[in-house]
Amino acid sequence: MSENDRILVGVDGGEGGRAAIRYAAAEAGLDDADLWLIHATLSEPADVVHPYPWLSQDSRHSGMEVLRKAADEAATYVGADHVSGTLLEGRVVHGLVHAAAKARLVVLGDDRRHGLEHIVTGSITHRVAGHAPVPVVVVPTGWSAEDPARRVLVAIKDCESSAGLIAQGLRHAADRDAELVVLHAWQLDTVYDDMTLGHLDVTGFESAARHALEEGLGRARSKVPHASGVDVRIEVRHGQPARVIADAAADADLLVICRRLHSFPLGRLGSTGRALMRESRCPVEIQPPVPDVITVEDLVLEHEGRIEKAEEAPAL
């Protein structure tokens, strides 16, 4: 197995890390993947002499003990041959993001219990999820794989470019023998949202959004043939997006969202994404910007300064 097929699991000795191990083990069971446990400890830069060197040594010993206990627990799920561990010393977020390039998925436990630290430094999970080159799953501390709801929720912001993210949702739903719910939650960017709605054709707006999502679903299905049997439900709801999505995810096994497409090349995690990572009761998968699925019929070419729709190749 290629090292890039590994699932990276961030462990810190807390309950969030244990939840992350349980989730990653369930994911590894789908394709016999390996688990790569990483514990990151803060340290001084290499060119700085630590004023209390024994503290650094104690930190290293403590980190190795965290890794050993995590590896023992992970081995009970996937077997010791499928578990490896690494102790990172240095900047935690930088180390995890750099290591993520050598994995196909990053799984982290939520870090809500470290409130004061993150007022000062910012959430580790938010920053890793906002910069990693691969999908990142944040698992609530109390998550359990028992009694699954058999439901995957994909939250869509841009209905016109939804096919790529819907395709990811189809894959997850097929793997879990679950239904897929595709949700677009919207609210006007104005404090006068309710007043403005009375002057708009809301029915027409929501019908257009639903139509765009149905087209996106059609393109996504063409790219995920093994998910042809997945039942899909499309919903368009008005309301504060983070709240609408969090409520909908309360009875889901997984919520899939995407970083914003701008901020090339890896996108940006917006306020809604950060709120969902904090509030969701189910695991949240944050995808790097997912390219839309483009078919030959949709392809547009530039020819001599003009934009032309591609023509179908003649039959042979």
Side-chain angles (χ1 to χ4, degrees):
M1 176 179 293
S2 165
E3 70 172 13
N4 290 77
D5 290 330
R6 299 178 298 181
I7 298 175
L8 188 163
V9 188
V11 295
D12 63 358
E15 289 302 313
R18 298 187 67 189
I21 290 173
R22 294 194 297 271
Y23 181 91
E27 284 292 298
L30 298 175
D31 57 7
D32 202 30
D34 292 339
L35 299 187
W36 180 24
L37 309 182
I38 289 185
H39 177 65
T41 63
L42 292 173
S43 71
E44 298 293 338
D47 58 347
V48 175
V49 177
H50 201 293
Y52 307 106
W54 63 87
L55 292 180
S56 179
Q57 190 67 25
D58 286 348
S59 176
R60 187 174 297 111
H61 287 319
S62 298
M64 292 302 296
E65 183 64 13
V66 168
L67 271 178
R68 185 190 63 77
K69 290 181 178 179
D72 288 345
E73 181 167 357
T76 65
Y77 297 111
V78 300
D81 291 343
H82 289 282
V83 179
S84 61
T86 300
L87 180 66
L88 291 180
E89 294 184 297
R91 292 175 293 169
V92 176
V93 174
H94 176 81
L96 289 173
V97 170
H98 182 75
K102 297 182 179 180
R104 68 170 173 84
L105 177 70
V106 175
V107 182
L108 304 173
D110 66 22
D111 50 17
R112 302 172 199 179
R113 66 187 178 93
H114 303 296
L116 181 60
E117 175 187 349
H118 296 139
I119 291 174
V120 178
T121 65
S123 167
I124 291 173
T125 55
H126 287 180
R127 289 185 287 160
V128 173
H131 295 89
V134 298
V136 175
V137 177
V138 177
V139 186
T141 297
W143 178 84
S144 170
E146 298 179 2
D147 300 321
R150 304 290 181 192
R151 181 173 298 108
V152 173
L153 176 65
V154 173
I156 301 292
K157 180 178 178 64
D158 183 359
C159 298
E160 299 294 334
S161 302
S162 60
L165 193 58
I166 293 175
Q168 298 290 345
L170 284 171
R171 295 184 184 98
H172 284 305
D175 289 341
R176 291 164 170 76
D177 190 24
E179 75 163 334
L180 175 64
V181 178
V182 178
L183 172 64
H184 173 62
W186 67 278
Q187 184 180 46
L188 298 176
D189 293 329
T190 170
V191 294
Y192 303 109
D193 177 78
D194 292 334
M195 296 173 57
T196 308
L197 286 179
H199 302 284
L200 296 177
D201 181 6
V202 175
T203 302
F205 172 82
E206 293 192 341
S207 295
R210 180 178 294 275
H211 178 70
L213 291 174
E214 289 171 347
E215 288 190 335
L217 173 61
R219 297 197 301 276
R221 282 198 185 276
S222 70
K223 294 298 181 181
V224 194
H226 74 278
S228 59
V230 171
D231 292 330
V232 180
R233 178 157 44 97
I234 294 176
E235 297 186 2
V236 179
R237 300 186 194 174
H238 171 254
Q240 203 279 329
R243 178 51 51 201
V244 170
I245 296 168
D247 288 345
D251 60 352
D253 299 315
L254 178 66
L255 167 62
V256 184
I257 63 176
C258 186
R259 297 204 299 257
R260 294 181 179 181
L261 286 171
H262 52 276
S263 301
F264 180 84
L266 294 178
R268 183 169 70 87
L269 185 64
S271 58
T272 297
R274 294 193 298 272
L276 290 170
M277 290 171 59
R278 184 178 63 249
E279 300 295 335
S280 177
R281 283 179 277 174
C282 75
V284 180
E285 179 174 286
I286 303 94
Q287 288 275 341
V290 181
D292 198 11
V293 177
I294 300 176
T295 64
V296 171
E297 291 77 14
D298 298 324
L299 188 61
V300 175
L301 304 176
E302 182 177 359
H303 179 64
E304 294 181 354
R306 301 189 304 276
I307 301 297
E308 301 179 349
K309 189 175 181 63
E311 298 179 359
E312 278 191 356
L316 299 178

